[in-house]
Amino acid sequence: MTAPDVVARLVAELGDRVDVSDAGRAAARADKSGQAASGSPLAVVHARTVEDVQATMRIASATGTPVVPRGAGTGLAGGANTGAGEIGLSLRSMDRILEVRPDDLIAVVEPGILNGQLNAALAEHGLWWAPDPASRDISTVGGNIATGAGGLLCAKYGVVRDAVLGLDLVLADGRLMRLGHRTVKGVTGLDLTSLAIGSEGILGVVVAATLKLRRLVPGQARTIAATFSDVRSAAVAASAVTAAGIQPAIMELMDATSLAASHRLLGLPAPTPGASQLTVQTDGPGATAEAEAVVAVLAAAGGTVRLAADDAEAQQLWTVRRSMHPAMETLGTALIEDVSVPRSALPAMFDEIARIEERFGLTIPTVCHAGDGNLHPNFIFDGDEVPEVIWEAAEDLFQSALRLGGTLTGEHGVGVLKRRWLADELGDDQWELQRRIARVFDPAGILNPGKVFAP
Amino acid sequence: MTAPDVVARLVAELGDRVDVSDAGRAAARADKSGQAASGSPLAVVHARTVEDVQATMRIASATGTPVVPRGAGTGLAGGANTGAGEIGLSLRSMDRILEVRPDDLIAVVEPGILNGQLNAALAEHGLWWAPDPASRDISTVGGNIATGAGGLLCAKYGVVRDAVLGLDLVLADGRLMRLGHRTVKGVTGLDLTSLAIGSEGILGVVVAATLKLRRLVPGQARTIAATFSDVRSAAVAASAVTAAGIQPAIMELMDATSLAASHRLLGLPAPTPGASQLTVQTDGPGATAEAEAVVAVLAAAGGTVRLAADDAEAQQLWTVRRSMHPAMETLGTALIEDVSVPRSALPAMFDEIARIEERFGLTIPTVCHAGDGNLHPNFIFDGDEVPEVIWEAAEDLFQSALRLGGTLTGEHGVGVLKRRWLADELGDDQWELQRRIARVFDPAGILNPGKVFAP
């Protein structure tokens, strides 16, 4: 069947839910990774119901047309990029909250709702869904699930996988599978819910999710900022906080380049050259006692420490961290990386980043979720195209993280950006095993082909 | 190849690790479910190393001989029962702690270590592994992982799936796969670690696990006991605790029959006829404040409430709950069931149990992890063989749990006991999908055949 025939079938069955405009199709080529598919897709289907998704998949299956599921397009690994010959399948318009059960601490939602919108609605019930990617105000719950997103609060409150009980998944052939359960415990058969989380659209299309909620944490959170003479000292201090048995809600590390860039953007006095900063939040009934313990550990580790007296001062301290990404844009184009290492290996990983900067003559400003060992090195370059030297440096970064017992990606996913290194972490045997499992869900390989597993 | 040839090959390669004695083989026929395989296995291999496991699997693969992995044999679903023509593969002797990293909050262990032994060793570091099945002193970590075990603390501290970062898995053909990671976050490829958890030995043999640890909870735990005139009132009161936003560490419900049997066994005065009991523990820095809040909620719900003044009194209260299983043995033979429902459905599920008792003329004493909605109805009968009427009543129980949005098994697994109902929960499509996934790991179907999926 020709491409025009496929589009005609989609339009015949789905009418105005099918966007064939040049602008609409071009918009589906990219996410926020800085990468874009070559060419535009055949069409973008804006599904409003489960049946729309099933109809799209049935047509795709019947015609052998690849489908790329998509949320708000905020991914950082190119996992939702949709190219020539493919159908984009947007879940963004399926954004209803189907059910909130405060007594069972669960909510059932459609995938297209923004994380921030969901949490605003849950707050009215005194509840929240813990996963908090930095993109929470612009990224969808379905996208969070597809990437297995993390965030700032993970060390204390867990990642997406800890916060999803069940998923409704439409398979490549259009069949709907209800995975998981509504109960706290459940071990009936294989855990396909966990398998689907972080699978980046290659197993099926998430059309509903049963989420495990928490009650809002009572009490006033406290914020501490501490500066250190260099990034290694800051990393050692962060490890000392964990080793002291304190569990902060958030612990963020900014290296010297990113700290200086944020200060410049905000018009604040320049920090001491080389200075790096830890910003820490404690919460819950013991927030103040824990904050004082953090202050003591950081001071003993050589930090210049400040405990915010009130919420206004705390917000000021967090503004510096939150300005990191806009500040990066003032330096050039940024390829945002995402490796994770065991917490004790943080200082060594910063040594590796310094070595890589030196070796390749690059600047790699880095922020780090220091409470869980997840680093975001930003490779800065000029222009739109990632230069080959950046890929070489990234390769060195990945190999360094793996040597330190770490992983290629903590929370962004593999997408197209990291597929060529996937087998380095998994080994060839496991790579092949994983691909065969994906084929059980999608025998013809029409779901997000070329993502995660290199073609 | 004949059975004697298979045994000869095992002995030739593994020597004294192969137990061919009648007693050793007979012991592998059963777990603690009350069920046993018909006939004894060919042999039981007591693996001491990963290589032993690989050698066993290679011989099994080459000869097409089924293998049943086994820990301490404390399972309650028959998942480790090993019968005629099969090889038992015991991991119990692989019981070393390979690594404890307090700074990274991880431990790497062999599968055969007992949960209680591990936690005793971790306590010296101020750490613990949260999963706490009631069998913790006699069950292995590998068995906990294979069944996806729960326990008493799950509502607050999570289940096994929340507490495992990585697994080393030997496949049916003897290849070793290293799944998962050592980092808090990691989304590289499909999450085969989660898939293997709770897979009951049908995907591979767990030979090492990287566990996510917690720091010991500081402060003195507090215990509350409350009696109610009937089990429904106790269930409503338990839901009221959750709905009030309190998160107890433990919340256990005993119905009238189990409470009376425990009192009788312990020589305590008989409770008021019909009386049911909730026993609740709060912990952490806010333990006392939370305990007082629990007391208020339970009193308002009509309970006669007692807050233990000290640890000795608390232990006394817990002794009643802990005596449940020995007390059941005084009533007859018990088939211990394990359904889970959303917490709000607990009162309705107790109504169903009362209906089933009435319909089949049975006594079904029930305890319940009320904090997470997991019930253990005990079907009491005479003799060794489960009478057909008990299976009919169990079927009614399962269908009732499913109607209430629940699941067939919260923490014991499917094994042989529940395989005939698996498709009722999953649906035929998902049942088939799951079986195909298992076949990717084990194409010839030699790993624990007949378990989970009916033959």
Side-chain angles (χ1 to χ4, degrees):
Chain A
M1 184 169 284
T2 66
D5 291 340
V6 173
V7 174
R9 277 182 74 163
L10 287 171
V11 171
E13 196 150 344
L14 292 154
D16 65 357
R17 295 168 195 201
V18 185
D19 183 354
V20 293
S21 72
D22 287 349
R25 293 184 300 117
R29 291 178 53 209
D31 61 3
K32 292 202 180 294
S33 65
Q35 304 292 296
S38 56
S40 285
L42 299 174
V44 178
V45 176
H46 293 272
R48 282 180 225 150
T49 64
V50 174
E51 291 71 28
D52 289 350
V53 174
Q54 293 183 283
T56 305
M57 294 313 307
R58 276 194 296 261
I59 293 170
S61 261
T63 59
T65 314
V67 173
V68 182
R70 186 179 181 84
T74 62
L76 292 167
N81 294 355
T82 318
E86 299 181 325
I87 300 168
L89 175 53
S90 170
L91 287 309
R92 180 68 183 86
S93 301
M94 291 177 62
D95 64 352
R96 290 178 304 160
I97 298 174
L98 302 174
E99 195 182 349
V100 178
R101 290 295 302 251
D103 46 358
D104 289 326
L105 294 177
I106 61 173
V108 183
V109 304
E110 291 186 332
I113 189 168
L114 297 181
N115 178 312
Q117 278 177 344
L118 170 65
N119 274 299
L122 292 175
E124 292 172 24
H125 300 276
L127 301 170
W128 63 304
W129 190 52
D132 70 323
S135 62
R136 59 189 296 171
D137 288 332
I138 55 169
S139 65
T140 65
V141 169
N144 299 165
I145 290 170
T147 53
L152 277 59
L153 295 160
C154 298
K156 185 160 185 179
Y157 294 108
V159 291
V160 164
R161 208 176 315 279
D162 304 313
V164 178
L165 294 172
L167 292 175
D168 288 356
L169 195 75
V170 172
L171 301 190
D173 60 13
R175 279 180 303 158
L176 176 65
M177 294 271 167
R178 296 183 191 279
L179 313 177
H181 40 84
R182 291 169 64 90
T183 53
V184 176
K185 293 174 180 167
V187 293
T188 305
L190 299 176
D191 183 4
L192 300 192
T193 304
S194 292
L195 188 68
I197 293 170
S199 66
E200 304 188 41
I202 65 172
L203 301 185
V205 184
V206 172
V207 292
T210 302
L211 308 178
K212 188 174 165 186
L213 307 179
R214 290 174 177 271
R215 303 210 176 262
L216 287 172
V217 179
Q220 178 69 46
R222 299 301 303 272
T223 296
I224 305 103
T227 50
F228 295 83
S229 56
D230 57 83
V231 70
R232 193 175 214 288
S233 310
V236 169
S239 298
V241 170
T242 303
I246 309 163
Q247 179 61 75
I250 307 178
M251 182 154 61
E252 295 289 301
L253 193 163
M254 297 177 77
D255 74 351
T257 314
S258 51
L259 185 64
S262 274
H263 274 232
R264 206 157 47 234
L265 182 75
L266 294 168
L268 298 172
T272 315
S276 295
Q277 183 156 306
L278 272 181
T279 317
V280 183
Q281 188 177 92
T282 60
D283 67 357
T288 295
E290 282 184 11
E292 286 162 1
V294 169
V295 167
V297 171
L298 298 182
T304 304
V305 191
R306 182 171 149 203
L307 171 59
D310 54 30
D311 205 44
E313 193 183 346
Q315 287 311 315
Q316 234 170 24
L317 295 174
W318 283 112
T319 300
V320 176
R321 168 63 183 86
R322 270 197 292 266
S323 304
M324 160 78 182
H325 288 298
M328 288 304 97
E329 290 168 11
T330 67
L331 301 181
T333 312
L335 175 71
I336 306 173
E337 265 313 328
D338 169 47
V339 293
S340 219
V341 295
R343 286 168 276 209
S344 62
L346 264 187
M349 192 65 216
F350 275 106
D351 290 346
E352 292 293 322
I353 292 170
R355 180 186 60 71
I356 295 167
E357 284 184 313
E358 178 82 13
R359 176 181 168 197
F360 293 93
L362 296 170
T363 303
I364 313 175
T366 298
V367 288
C368 165
H369 309 309
D372 59 45
N374 183 203
L375 302 102
H376 295 305
N378 283 249
F379 290 90
I380 306 291
F381 57 95
D382 293 323
D384 284 342
E385 197 72 27
V386 180
E388 192 49 35
V389 62
I390 298 280
W391 289 123
E392 285 168 28
E395 156 121 20
D396 194 343
L397 180 85
F398 301 148
Q399 302 298 351
S400 302
L402 293 179
R403 270 198 310 276
L404 291 170
T407 179
L408 278 180
T409 170
E411 55 188 16
H412 293 171
V414 176
V416 292
L417 249 67
K418 293 186 174 173
R419 59 188 183 183
R420 62 170 132 157
W421 293 286
L422 185 63
D424 291 346
E425 179 166 341
L426 299 183
D428 291 338
D429 275 3
Q430 193 187 154
W431 189 95
E432 184 58 32
L433 180 74
Q434 292 208 357
R435 219 176 57 135
R436 283 196 198 155
I437 293 168
R439 283 289 181 271
V440 173
F441 286 81
D442 174 21
I446 61 167
L447 267 168
N448 218 4
K451 312 294 166 57
V452 184
F453 304 108
Chain B
M1 185 169 280
T2 67
D5 291 339
V6 173
V7 174
R9 277 182 73 162
L10 287 172
V11 171
E13 196 150 345
L14 292 154
D16 65 357
R17 296 168 196 202
V18 185
D19 183 354
V20 293
S21 72
D22 287 347
R25 293 184 301 117
R29 290 179 55 209
D31 60 3
K32 293 203 179 295
S33 65
Q35 304 292 297
S38 56
S40 285
L42 299 174
V44 178
V45 177
H46 293 272
R48 281 179 225 152
T49 65
V50 174
E51 291 69 28
D52 289 351
V53 175
Q54 293 183 284
T56 305
M57 294 313 307
R58 276 193 296 262
I59 294 169
S61 261
T63 60
T65 314
V67 174
V68 181
R70 187 179 181 83
T74 62
L76 292 167
N81 293 357
T82 318
E86 299 181 325
I87 300 168
L89 174 54
S90 171
L91 287 308
R92 181 66 183 88
S93 302
M94 291 177 63
D95 64 352
R96 289 178 303 160
I97 297 175
L98 302 174
E99 194 182 350
V100 178
R101 290 295 302 250
D103 47 358
D104 289 325
L105 295 176
I106 61 174
V108 183
V109 304
E110 291 185 334
I113 189 169
L114 297 181
N115 179 312
Q117 277 177 345
L118 170 64
N119 274 298
L122 292 175
E124 291 172 25
H125 300 275
L127 301 170
W128 63 303
W129 189 52
D132 71 322
S135 61
R136 58 189 298 171
D137 288 332
I138 55 169
S139 66
T140 65
V141 169
N144 297 166
I145 290 171
T147 53
L152 276 60
L153 294 160
C154 298
K156 184 160 186 178
Y157 294 109
V159 292
V160 164
R161 207 175 318 278
D162 305 312
V164 178
L165 293 172
L167 292 174
D168 288 356
L169 195 76
V170 172
L171 301 190
D173 60 13
R175 279 180 302 159
L176 176 65
M177 294 270 167
R178 296 184 191 278
L179 313 177
H181 41 84
R182 289 168 65 90
T183 53
V184 176
K185 292 173 179 168
V187 292
T188 304
L190 298 176
D191 184 5
L192 299 192
T193 304
S194 291
L195 189 68
I197 294 170
S199 65
E200 304 188 41
I202 65 171
L203 302 186
V205 184
V206 172
V207 292
T210 302
L211 308 178
K212 188 175 164 187
L213 307 179
R214 290 173 177 272
R215 302 209 178 264
L216 287 172
V217 178
Q220 178 69 46
R222 300 299 303 270
T223 296
I224 305 103
T227 49
F228 295 83
S229 56
D230 57 81
V231 71
R232 193 174 215 287
S233 310
V236 169
S239 298
V241 170
T242 303
I246 310 163
Q247 180 61 76
I250 306 177
M251 183 155 60
E252 295 289 302
L253 194 163
M254 297 178 77
D255 75 350
T257 314
S258 52
L259 184 65
S262 273
H263 274 233
R264 206 159 44 235
L265 182 75
L266 294 169
L268 298 172
T272 315
S276 294
Q277 183 156 305
L278 273 181
T279 316
V280 183
Q281 188 177 91
T282 61
D283 66 359
T288 295
E290 281 184 12
E292 286 163 1
V294 170
V295 167
V297 171
L298 297 182
T304 304
V305 190
R306 184 172 147 199
L307 171 60
D310 54 31
D311 205 46
E313 193 184 348
Q315 287 311 318
Q316 233 172 25
L317 295 175
W318 283 113
T319 300
V320 175
R321 168 63 184 86
R322 271 196 291 266
S323 304
M324 161 77 182
H325 288 297
M328 289 304 98
E329 289 168 13
T330 67
L331 301 180
T333 312
L335 175 71
I336 305 173
E337 264 314 326
D338 168 48
V339 293
S340 219
V341 294
R343 286 169 274 209
S344 62
L346 264 187
M349 191 65 215
F350 275 105
D351 291 347
E352 293 293 322
I353 293 170
R355 180 186 60 72
I356 295 167
E357 285 184 311
E358 177 82 13
R359 176 181 168 198
F360 293 93
L362 296 171
T363 303
I364 313 175
T366 298
V367 288
C368 164
H369 308 309
D372 59 45
N374 183 204
L375 302 102
H376 295 306
N378 283 249
F379 290 89
I380 306 292
F381 57 94
D382 294 322
D384 284 341
E385 196 73 28
V386 181
E388 191 49 35
V389 62
I390 297 280
W391 288 124
E392 285 167 29
E395 156 122 22
D396 194 343
L397 181 84
F398 301 148
Q399 302 297 351
S400 302
L402 293 179
R403 270 197 311 277
L404 291 170
T407 179
L408 278 179
T409 169
E411 56 187 15
H412 293 171
V414 175
V416 291
L417 250 67
K418 292 187 174 174
R419 60 188 182 183
R420 61 169 135 158
W421 293 285
L422 185 62
D424 290 346
E425 179 167 341
L426 300 183
D428 291 338
D429 276 3
Q430 194 186 155
W431 188 94
E432 184 59 32
L433 181 74
Q434 293 208 356
R435 218 177 57 136
R436 284 197 198 152
I437 292 168
R439 283 289 181 270
V440 173
F441 287 81
D442 174 21
I446 62 167
L447 267 168
N448 217 4
K451 311 294 167 57
V452 185
F453 302 108

